[in-house]
Amino acid sequence: MDIEKIIAEHGDYLLKVAYLYVKNEATAEDIVQDVFIAFYQKQEQFRQESSIRTYLVKMTVNRSHDYLRSWKSKRLTLFEKITGRPTAVTPEKEFLAKSTKRELVEALFSLSVAYREVLILYYFEDMTTVEIAQLVCCPEATIRTRLQRARKQLATAIGDYDWEVLRHESI
C-alpha cells in the first residue's frame, strides 16, 4: 500500500474527526500523525475486513479517546479553567465562533464525548446507527439511546433545531 496516497485521501477527513473530539487543531494533527505512523508500521496487520477509511477512523477515534483520558488533556482543561483563556486559539475556532452555527457548535461541545460522538457520526458523517455501533464497539440499542439523549440535551441548550438539515451540513 502506498502510504502517501492513503494520507492524501484520508488525512483531511481524519483531522476533522480528531478535531471534533479534542477541540484543538494541534492536538488533532498530532493524533492523525500518530495514526498514520502506527498504520505504516503495522499495515500488514490490516486484514481488509473493512475499508481503510473505516479502519483509520476507528484508530483516530481510539487515539482521541486515549488523549481525552490522559493527564495532558486534563491539565490543559484545568489551565483553561484557572486562567479563563483557552490554551490555543485556532482559525477553526474563530471561524466557528463567527458562523451562524456558533450556538449549535458550543452546545455540541458541551455534551459528553459519548453523546457528542454519536451526533457527529450520525448527522455530520451520515453513518447509520449500525455503523456507529460497530465503530465504537457497543450495541446498536445503546447508540440509539445515546442519540435520543444527546438530542434532548441539545434541544434544552439551543431549543428546537431542524435535525434533518444538519445531516447535509458540515462543521
Side-chain angles (χ1 to χ4, degrees), residues 107 111 149-161 163:
L111 298 177
R149 289 178 182 169
R151 285 185 194 124
K152 284 182 183 177
Q153 286 185 14
L154 272 183
T156 300
I158 63 173
D160 292 329
Y161 197 88
W163 294 102

Side-chain angles (χ1 to χ4, degrees), residues 43-71:
Q43 60 185 318
E44 69 279 348
Q45 293 179 2
F46 177 57
R47 297 181 302 232
Q48 299 183 353
E49 294 174 359
S50 63
S51 70
I52 289 178
R53 183 183 190 110
T54 302
Y55 184 73
L56 292 172
V57 167
K58 181 144 180 126
M59 288 177 69
T60 303
V61 167
N62 288 340
R63 298 269 172 147
S64 297
H65 280 283
D66 291 345
Y67 173 79
L68 292 172
R69 285 190 297 262
S70 73
W71 167 244

Side-chain angles (χ1 to χ4, degrees), residues 19-21 23 96 101-121 123-124 147 150-151 153-155 157-158 163 166 170-171:
Y19 178 77
L20 290 171
Y21 280 93
K23 299 186 262 182
L96 290 174
K101 293 179 261 180
R102 185 185 88 234
E103 186 178 1
L104 173 63
V105 171
E106 289 172 3
L108 185 63
F109 283 150
S110 72
L111 298 177
S112 69
V113 172
Y115 291 157
R116 184 173 53 213
E117 108 184 311
V118 295
L119 284 175
I120 290 166
L121 295 173
Y123 287 106
F124 294 102
L147 198 53
R151 285 185 194 124
Q153 286 185 14
L154 272 183
I158 63 173
W163 294 102
L166 196 58
S170 65
I171 291 185

Side-chain angles (χ1 to χ4, degrees), residues 26-107:
T27 303
E29 288 173 353
D30 289 344
I31 288 170
V32 171
Q33 182 178 358
D34 288 346
V35 165
F36 283 127
I37 290 169
F39 178 75
Y40 179 74
Q41 291 173 341
K42 300 176 182 178
Q43 60 185 318
E44 69 279 348
Q45 293 179 2
F46 177 57
R47 297 181 302 232
Q48 299 183 353
E49 294 174 359
S50 63
S51 70
I52 289 178
R53 183 183 190 110
T54 302
Y55 184 73
L56 292 172
V57 167
K58 181 144 180 126
M59 288 177 69
T60 303
V61 167
N62 288 340
R63 298 269 172 147
S64 297
H65 280 283
D66 291 345
Y67 173 79
L68 292 172
R69 285 190 297 262
S70 73
W71 167 244
K72 183 177 180 182
S73 169
K74 289 178 174 79
R75 189 182 71 220
L76 290 175
T77 302
L78 180 62
F79 176 80
E80 289 175 2
K81 286 180 182 177
I82 291 171
T83 62
R85 65 180 197 269
T87 54
V89 176
T90 63
E92 289 81 4
K93 286 183 182 178
E94 289 178 21
F95 174 75
L96 290 174
K98 294 176 184 177
S99 76
T100 57
K101 293 179 261 180
R102 185 185 88 234
E103 186 178 1
L104 173 63
V105 171
E106 289 172 3

